[in-house]
């Protein structure tokens, strides 16, 4: 992405470094406001519309971190790219967790610096086609993954069964700037205890009875890609110690082998358990917990993000009907309505399974509520029998549900909701008042 006509803020007290950056950024077509201290930057950031901030960490009257936090609290958030000669991994992780966009250490290659800056100035992911969902929670998760993709630190993903932890991990894998490499997914709960070590680390021929040939484990087959360890809480204590050593030393031995094998992949772990309780119970190593929990992401259950339900329904439908002739044309409005009020204890996995079953057995061109929920005797309105419902009440009920659905999709933002519904803000307020929508 070109820096032509972009307005950048630079906070750097080193006159040589500052002058060099200003000259190069202006050659790239950017307008640069350069400040030498925190106090200058505070005033400057209030008075300018800079699109991004390039900020040194150590400044004469404070730290760049303090300025970043002040900017965040004020609500005038801009992407920050930190530049420092005193960088370390812990500091980078802390800044990224708090919302900083990126981090480089001096000395750096100018081309790499410009590439990172260009990435930072790309349109916000909230304006792009959603990859994980339309709810704020999932858009925020995608922004987190974009930042995490620039790091090599272990990541721990938590969430209930069926929320899509592997989907989230594959999204992270696809965001890597370098060639992605293999994606190796391992369900720790499904590995037989007596074969677990061999499956993870491989074995040499003759290492044990039945080892007729050399076997490469998941850690080796992952190459320079990603090793995804699902249900990490079910990993045996013996293997937990070996996994800790793998993460810290970045190498391992095959079972029965003497050759040291380098480990190049990134590790992502996932669980639906509370690992802190497992640590307290003595079934999970505390040192391993902190080692895999450098970066952490919670994927909320579907009931906490109802705005994603219709979006997921459409995605799953398109995926399941691709290349088939089911005769189905989509979902009825009543199916969307009933699905939006269901608790979804099995989360996105349950939703997909119900749609797959509905496609197999529906007798209509449109999937109806009883196709999704055959165990429930639900009419198409999802509530009282149709014979007791007036046309006016059906219309009002449908209007109310649509307003609630679009409000949820836009995080309660009235102007955006009114625009999406094709009405004025005044009309939307009146309808919300009439339908008792807070």
């Amino acid at each position: 992405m070109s820096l032509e006509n972009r307005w950048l803020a630079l906070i750097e007290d080193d006159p040589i470094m500052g002058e060099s950056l200003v000259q190069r950024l202006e050659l790239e077509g950017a307008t640069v406001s350069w400040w030498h201290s925190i106090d200058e930057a505070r005033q400057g950031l209030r008075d300018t519309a800079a699109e991004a901030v390039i900020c040194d960490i150590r400044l004469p009257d404070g730290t760049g971190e303090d300025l970043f936090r002040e900017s965040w609290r004020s609500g005038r958030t801009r992407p920050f790219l930190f530049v420092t000669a005193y960088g370390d991994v812990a500091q980078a992780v802390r800044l990224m967790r708090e919302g900083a966009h990126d981090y480089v250490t001096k000395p750096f290659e100018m081309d790499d610096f410009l590439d990172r800056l260009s990435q930072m100035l790309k349109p916000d992911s909230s304006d792009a086609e959603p990859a994980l969902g339309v709810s704020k929670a999932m858009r925020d998760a995608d922004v987190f993954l974009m930042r995490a993709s620039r790091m090599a630190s272990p990541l721990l993903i938590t969430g209930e069964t069926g929320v899509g932890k592997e989907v989230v991990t594959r999204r992270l894998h696809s965001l890597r700037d370098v060639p992605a490499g293999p994606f190796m997914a391992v369900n720790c709960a499904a590995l037989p205890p007596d074969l677990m070590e061999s499956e993870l680390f491989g074995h040499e021929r003759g290492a044990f009875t039945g080892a007729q040939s050399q076997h490469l484990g998941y850690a080796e087959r992952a190459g320079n890609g990603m090793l995804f360890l699902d249900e990490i809480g079910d990993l045996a204590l013996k293997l937990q110690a070996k996994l800790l050593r793998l993460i810290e030393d970045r190498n391992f031995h095959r079972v029965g082998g003497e050759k040291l094998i380098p480990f190049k992949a990134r590790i992502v772990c996932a669980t639906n358990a509370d690992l802190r309780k497992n640590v307290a119970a003595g079934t999970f190593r505390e040192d391993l917990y902190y080692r895999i929990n450098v970066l952490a992401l919670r994927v909320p259950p579907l009931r906490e993000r109802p705005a994603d339900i219709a979006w997921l329904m459409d995605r799953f439908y398109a995926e399941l009907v691709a290349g088939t002739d089911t005769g189905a044309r989509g979902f009825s409005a009543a199916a969307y309505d009933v699905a939006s009020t269901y608790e979804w204890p099995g989360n996105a996995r349950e939703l997909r399974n119900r749609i797959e079953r509905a496609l197999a057995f529906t007798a209509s061109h449109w999937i109806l509520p009883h196709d999704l929920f055959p165990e429930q005797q639900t009419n198409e309105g999802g509530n009282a029998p149709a014979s007791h419902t007036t046309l006016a009440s059906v219309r009002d009920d449908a209007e109310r549900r649509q307003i609630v659905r679009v409000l949820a999709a836009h995080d309660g933002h009235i102007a955006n909701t009114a625009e999406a519904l094709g009405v004025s803000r005044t009309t939307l307020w009146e309808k919300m008042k009439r339908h008792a929508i807070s």
Side-chain angles (χ1 to χ4, degrees), residues 42-50 53 67-80:
R42 284 194 185 102
Q43 183 63 41
L45 288 173
R46 281 195 296 266
D47 298 340
T48 65
V53 180
L67 184 65
F68 170 71
R69 293 191 183 102
E70 290 175 20
S71 175
W72 190 265
R73 286 194 296 267
S74 71
R76 293 175 58 84
T77 56
R78 301 174 175 91
F80 269 66

Side-chain angles (χ1 to χ4, degrees), residues 261-320:
I261 310 296
F263 179 66
K264 303 175 182 178
R266 182 174 187 176
I267 286 185
V268 178
C269 301
T271 182
N272 60 9
D274 186 339
L275 291 184
R276 289 170 297 185
K277 291 183 178 179
N278 290 12
V279 169
T283 60
F284 200 85
R285 292 179 62 108
E286 185 175 22
D287 48 3
L288 178 59
Y289 170 70
Y290 289 116
R291 199 65 188 83
I292 64 174
N293 195 31
V294 177
L295 298 176
L297 176 64
R298 173 184 178 266
V299 183
L302 200 51
R303 63 182 174 276
E304 292 182 11
R305 45 188 178 98
D308 288 333
I309 294 173
W311 182 83
L312 284 169
M313 290 172 70
D314 293 338
R315 294 272 294 226
F316 291 149
Y317 174 85
E319 175 189 333
L320 291 166

Side-chain angles (χ1 to χ4, degrees), residues 154 200-201 229 232 235-251 263 267 284-292:
L200 279 178
F201 301 108
L229 300 176
I232 187 67
L235 192 65
L237 280 169
K238 176 184 175 182
L239 266 294
Q240 290 178 30
K242 290 183 177 291
L243 177 60
L244 179 64
R245 182 58 62 100
L246 175 73
I247 296 172
E248 292 183 340
D249 294 349
R250 305 294 296 178
N251 55 53
F263 179 66
I267 286 185
F284 200 85
R285 292 179 62 108
E286 185 175 22
D287 48 3
L288 178 59
Y289 170 70
Y290 289 116
R291 199 65 188 83
I292 64 174

Side-chain angles (χ1 to χ4, degrees), residues 79-83 92 95-96 99-104 112-113 115-117 119-120 147 150-151 177:
F80 269 66
L81 174 63
F82 283 102
V83 181
L95 291 168
M96 300 280 275
H101 193 280
D102 211 342
Y103 180 99
V104 294
D112 177 62
F113 171 79
D115 285 343
R116 290 171 180 264
L117 188 57
Q119 286 286 329
M120 190 166 75
R147 294 169 177 161
R150 302 182 183 95
M151 305 178 70
D177 293 331

Side-chain angles (χ1 to χ4, degrees), residues 341-391:
T341 61
Y342 181 65
E343 287 292 305
W344 297 108
N347 294 294
R349 182 179 297 152
E350 179 188 359
L351 176 58
R352 188 185 189 281
N353 290 345
R354 285 186 177 274
I355 293 172
E356 186 171 9
R357 182 177 60 189
L359 283 169
F361 293 104
T362 184
S364 168
H365 288 305
W366 299 99
I367 295 175
L368 302 173
H370 65 259
D371 295 319
L372 288 174
F373 304 98
E375 71 277 13
Q376 300 177 7
Q377 296 299 315
T378 309
N379 69 307
E380 290 191 26
N383 295 306
S387 59
H388 296 139
T389 306
T390 66
L391 185 60

Side-chain angles (χ1 to χ4, degrees), residues 178-196:
V178 297
F183 180 91
M184 299 303 301
V186 185
N187 188 332
C188 297
L191 289 176
D194 54 335
L195 296 178
M196 195 174 290

